[in-house]
Each structure stands twice: as C-alpha cells, then as structure tokens.
C-alpha cells in the first residue's frame, strides 16, 4: 500500500511496531509524536460484508483524521479537487492522513476488513461537506486558508 501521496492535505503515517514477537504484534500511536495532533475521538468500522458498500463520500472543513486498515483490505480514493489518487489499504502499520478539504471514498472492502480512524475533534455534522459540487466551491473559496 505504501505509495507516495500525490494529493494535498494527506500523507502516510507510520506507526511504531514490534512485530517480531512469537505472541503477536504490538503497534503504537502516540499523540503529537507519530500521530500529529491531540486525539479527541476514535471510531472503527467493521461488519463490512456487503461487497457493494461505499463509505465516506465527503470532505471535512477543519477535521484532521488518520485512517488505518487494521485487518483485511479496502480501497481509499482521495481527491483534493485537482489531484485524485487511489490507495489499496492493507497494511495495519501505515495510516493515511485525511486532512481538511479532502474528498474521500472507501470501497472494495474485504469481508474481514476492520477500519480504525483517529480524529482531532468530536463529531460535528456542521464540519462535513457531503455534496461534491459544494466541496469544489468550498475549496475554491477557501484556497488560501
Ligand atoms: P459518516 O462519517 O458519514 O460515515 P463514513 O464516512 O464512515 O461513511 O457517518 C455516518 C453516520 O454516523 C452519520 O449519520 C454521522 C454518524 N456519526 C456520528 O454520529 N459520530 C461519529 O463520530 C461518526 C464518524 C459518524
């Protein structure tokens, strides 16, 4: 999965891991260290048994998040309004930064897929942009912010 990220407001986050134990792997993220913000919210997505499931399809105005695929795989499609990139998420040691003003969609989930997201703020519906045309207008209006 680890590729160079070409879209704005994204990037790869590498967690610290100890994966040479006979008794399993240990993976660590720490706020303001390998996670570049204070963590206020964590959520996970599982039960991805519907092969046609589509999640995301939105951008955020201010929220900073990092998305991990803890098990299985899925496709993460990123779009900063100019550049688009698809990533296969299948390595639990690497997260992808979902910064503000980044349209993202998740598809092609394996049935055993488990996704973890850590965020720098609480849930606020007012921070979402759920319409793609509104997203394009928003990023044009707020290009320098
Ligand atoms: P949404 O963020 O659109 O899900 P995804 O990006 O995974 O497809 O959220 C789906 C619904 O869940 C929506 O009604 C808002 C609600 N929700 C919360 O109440 N709190 C949360 O922290 C999140 C992430 C979603």
């Amino acid at each position: 999965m680890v590729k160079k990220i070409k879209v704005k407001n994204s990037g790869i986050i590498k967690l610290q891991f100890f994966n040479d134990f006979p008794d399993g792997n240990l993976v660590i993220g720490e706020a303001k260290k390998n996670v570049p913000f204070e963590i206020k919210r964590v959520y996970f997505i599982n039960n991805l048994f519907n092969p046609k499931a589509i999640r995301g399809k939105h951008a955020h105005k201010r929220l900073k998040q990092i998305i991990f695929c803890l098990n299985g795989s899925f496709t993460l499609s990123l779009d900063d309004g100019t550049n688009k990139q698809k990533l296969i998420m299948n390595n639990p040691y690497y997260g992808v930064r979902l910064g503000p003003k980044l349209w993202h969609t998740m598809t092609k989930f394996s049935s055993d897929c488990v996704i973890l997201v850590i965020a720098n703020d609480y849930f606020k519906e007012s921070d979402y942009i759920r319409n793609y045309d509104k997203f394009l207008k928003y990023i044009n209006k707020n290009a320098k912010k």
Side-chain angles (χ1 to χ4, degrees):
M1 93 144 231
V2 189
K3 262 201 200 176
K4 201 161 166 37
I5 301 270
K6 294 180 291 190
V7 296
K8 282 180 259 174
N9 301 333
S10 186
I12 303 278
I13 300 286
K14 188 180 176 196
L15 294 180
Q16 184 188 5
F17 58 85
F18 300 96
N19 66 347
D20 53 356
F21 297 145
D23 303 320
N25 302 342
L26 178 67
V27 189
I28 304 132
E30 290 182 298
K32 300 255 185 108
K33 291 189 179 175
N34 47 4
V35 173
F37 50 72
E38 289 289 2
I39 301 162
K40 279 201 183 165
R41 181 164 52 113
V42 173
Y43 58 92
F44 63 84
I45 303 169
N46 65 349
N47 270 330
L48 287 155
F49 296 117
N50 172 8
K52 292 187 180 155
I54 304 178
R55 301 201 63 108
K57 287 198 290 182
H58 63 253
H60 285 280
K61 295 174 188 166
R62 290 174 184 276
L63 188 69
K64 294 178 183 169
Q65 303 188 99
I66 305 173
I67 186 164
F68 297 93
C69 184
L70 298 191
N71 198 57
S73 64
F74 71 99
T75 298
L76 178 65
S77 303
L78 302 175
D79 177 351
D80 64 17
T82 308
N83 309 295
K84 291 183 171 49
Q85 186 169 9
K86 275 189 200 292
L87 297 167
I88 311 287
M89 299 288 291
N90 60 4
N91 185 329
Y93 307 135
Y94 293 89
V96 172
R97 205 157 55 73
L98 300 175
K101 298 187 274 179
L102 185 62
W103 189 265
H104 59 276
T105 305
M106 296 164 261
T107 54
K108 297 195 179 147
F109 303 98
S110 62
S111 56
D112 59 350
C113 181
V114 178
I115 295 171
L116 175 75
V117 182
I118 53 183
N120 79 327
D121 207 353
Y122 302 117
F123 172 78
K124 276 185 209 134
E125 187 58 43
S126 61
D127 191 69
Y128 279 71
I129 309 168
R130 294 190 182 274
N131 173 286
Y132 189 73
D133 289 336
K134 285 190 182 155
F135 163 67
L136 293 179
K137 281 187 188 141
Y138 184 86
I139 53 173
N140 286 330
K141 217 172 107 188
N142 294 277
K144 291 195 187 114
K145 285 187 196 166

